[in-house]
Amino acid sequence: MRERDDGTNVLLDANENAYGPGLDLQSHGSLTNASRDPNYPDTIDLRGLNRYPDPHQAVLKQKLCELRNLHIHTAKDLKPNNLFVGVGSDEAIDALLRCFCTPAHDKILTCPPTYGMYAVSAQINDIAVVKVPLDVNNAFQLQPEAINATLSADPTIKMVYICSPGNPSGTLISKAYIQQVLEHPTWNGIVILDEAYIDFAPDGASLAEWVTEWPNLVVMQTLSKAFGLAGIRLGAAFASPQVAGLLNNLKAPYNVSSPTSALATAALKSKNLAVMRSNREKILEQRQRMLIELPKIPRIGRFLGGTNSNFLLVEVLDKPRDEGGRPSNECAMALYAALAETRGVVVRFRGKELGCEGCLRITVGTSKEVDRLLIEIRSLLQGDGIADHKGINGTEKSEDQREREANGVMA
């Protein structure tokens, strides 16, 4: 649906930060008080773009360490040699596969429902995927006993990918459950914790600093979500110096551009962190508003999973709750399509994922965007505007075709 966006649509499908970059910007878009600190410049020196960027990104890595050295989970400090930085989290996902897995022989373990890029990258690298689902009866929590039993039974599994908070579940995975996997007595693999949404969880939830205690732990993060910098594509992997060293030796020499590095470093300065945290509070306020207002609409069912991210996973019912309505993929797909094609509101259909029957994943938007979302969903569901919904230009679409469109973007 995004390829048809003309700038008027409400885009609540990719879990972007609707309030914009976490940067202290002037009205015309430039950074305020630019370049006063020569060590952490706020602007991009266009005169230097004829030179290759710093291949080691030492200044950026130091700022990331300062952000995550909270001493909640350990007294030890993260240092720049604990870090790999790359093009979003996706580069780290791929680099870890190439570093630790032999194509056509080794496997990874994922916990569906989860972020789709783990399996996509594995397929590209000819690595099989073993699945141990999250516990759909326990808010999509991890099942460490089942994971450990699977690891014991199959020595070709080299890595476990865990998303926390989960996507699409929004559930913050229990630290104790993660520790159970890390403490497996015989398995000699890597546990990868994807914390893309961690800044929407309670303060202190990140386990990034825990890599100083667990050499078999890697924690991935990104500036695409809470920091509102999806456009610069900057991700980080915190790891032991040995693992981080392998990833850094594997990467292309200049994988992070000078503009990306400058903007990421600026975002980690105190005044810009204050902007990010202010925007985060606005998102949390609108998340709470959606939790209250969406269930008031007939045919909106339960929220599934947790509320530790900038999106919500919610059921669409085949009829009102008080009439015994049940989650319906057909109705959820029809609502998704009607919102996008006739109302200019784009969300994400997730009904075909494990435990998510009849579900839409809806990114938390600005106050005005949430206003419009609530109005359009109420209008469509109360007036049965999703019945016999036609596709674009009145063309009937099959559920399979709509599903492919609804799930065509990894985010």
Side-chain angles (χ1 to χ4, degrees), residues 263-284:
L263 287 168
T265 303
L268 297 167
K269 291 182 66 175
S270 58
K271 66 177 180 179
N272 293 319
L273 286 172
V275 175
M276 181 275 284
R277 288 164 180 151
S278 174
N279 288 343
R280 178 184 61 188
E281 289 307 308
K282 295 174 187 175
I283 290 171
L284 298 187

Side-chain angles (χ1 to χ4, degrees), residues 48-86:
L49 292 181
N50 60 312
R51 302 299 181 189
Y52 287 109
D54 174 11
H56 305 296
Q57 300 295 334
V59 173
L60 173 57
K61 289 177 180 178
Q62 180 59 41
K63 296 301 288 182
L64 287 165
C65 289
E66 292 170 9
L67 177 71
R68 299 306 181 192
N69 275 331
L70 302 178
H71 301 131
I72 293 172
H73 307 286
T74 179
K76 298 178 182 177
D77 280 330
L78 290 163
K79 298 177 181 178
N81 66 352
N82 288 112
L83 270 164
F84 164 84
V85 292

Side-chain angles (χ1 to χ4, degrees), residues 318-349:
D318 57 3
K319 53 187 175 182
R321 291 182 301 277
D322 57 6
E323 297 177 16
R326 299 181 62 82
S328 166
N329 275 352
E330 182 180 358
C331 293
M333 178 64 76
L335 177 58
Y336 155 80
L339 283 169
E341 296 170 6
T342 69
R343 306 302 174 95
V345 177
V346 186
V347 297
R348 188 65 61 87
F349 173 72

Side-chain angles (χ1 to χ4, degrees), residues 89 96 118 142 160-166 171-175 178-179 182 190-196 198 205-208 210-211 216-221 236-238:
S89 296
L96 286 159
Y118 313 142
L142 204 67
V160 175
Y161 279 91
I162 301 169
C163 194
S164 178
T171 296
L172 185 69
I173 299 299
S174 162
K175 178 183 175 182
I178 295 167
Q179 184 167 342
L182 289 168
I190 303 289
V191 175
I192 299 139
L193 190 61
D194 186 347
E195 291 190 341
I198 199 64
S206 173
L207 296 179
W210 223 20
V211 303
N216 55 335
L217 175 66
V218 175
V219 177
M220 300 189 304
Q221 296 185 354
F238 296 85

Side-chain angles (χ1 to χ4, degrees), residues 57-303:
Q57 300 295 334
V59 173
L60 173 57
K61 289 177 180 178
Q62 180 59 41
K63 296 301 288 182
L64 287 165
C65 289
E66 292 170 9
L67 177 71
R68 299 306 181 192
N69 275 331
L70 302 178
H71 301 131
I72 293 172
H73 307 286
T74 179
K76 298 178 182 177
D77 280 330
L78 290 163
K79 298 177 181 178
N81 66 352
N82 288 112
L83 270 164
F84 164 84
V85 292
V87 183
S89 296
D90 293 344
E91 183 175 357
I93 292 169
D94 180 71
L96 286 159
L97 289 166
R98 290 188 291 122
C99 190
F100 291 106
C101 294
T102 301
H105 178 268
D106 290 334
K107 303 170 186 173
I108 65 169
L109 186 149
T110 66
C111 302
T114 194
Y115 182 43
M117 277 304 298
Y118 313 142
V120 169
S121 290
Q123 182 179 18
I124 291 169
N125 286 282
D126 195 16
I127 295 163
V129 179
V130 175
K131 299 177 183 180
V132 176
L134 298 172
D135 189 347
V136 298
N137 297 313
N138 185 26
F140 295 103
Q141 269 295 342
L142 204 67
Q143 300 194 80
E145 294 86 357
I147 290 173
N148 283 350
T150 303
L151 297 177
S152 295
D154 191 345
T156 66
I157 299 173
K158 297 300 175 65
M159 296 191 295
V160 175
Y161 279 91
I162 301 169
C163 194
S164 178
N167 176 10
S169 70
T171 296
L172 185 69
I173 299 299
S174 162
K175 178 183 175 182
Y177 289 169
I178 295 167
Q179 184 167 342
Q180 280 184 251
V181 181
L182 289 168
E183 291 177 336
H184 192 291
T186 59
W187 180 66
N188 187 30
I190 303 289
V191 175
I192 299 139
L193 190 61
D194 186 347
E195 291 190 341
Y197 301 95
I198 199 64
D199 290 299
F200 300 108
D203 289 344
S206 173
L207 296 179
E209 64 183 6
W210 223 20
V211 303
T212 62
E213 299 286 350
W214 295 97
N216 55 335
L217 175 66
V218 175
V219 177
M220 300 189 304
Q221 296 185 354
T222 178
L223 298 191
S224 296
K225 305 303 180 182
F227 284 84
L229 293 172
I232 73 169
R233 306 302 297 127
L234 193 285
F238 296 85
S240 69
Q242 293 80 9
V243 171
L246 289 171
L247 296 176
N248 284 310
N249 288 335
L250 186 70
K251 74 176 182 67
Y254 308 111
N255 63 326
V256 176
S257 72
S258 298
T260 290
S261 179
L263 287 168
T265 303
L268 297 167
K269 291 182 66 175
S270 58
K271 66 177 180 179
N272 293 319
L273 286 172
V275 175
M276 181 275 284
R277 288 164 180 151
S278 174
N279 288 343
R280 178 184 61 188
E281 289 307 308
K282 295 174 187 175
I283 290 171
L284 298 187
E285 288 174 7
Q286 293 307 310
R287 184 178 73 188
Q288 184 61 29
R289 179 182 170 207
M290 290 169 62
L291 286 167
I292 293 170
E293 296 298 328
L294 277 170
K296 297 178 182 179
I297 300 175
R299 296 177 64 183
I300 290 294
R302 302 171 298 168
F303 293 102

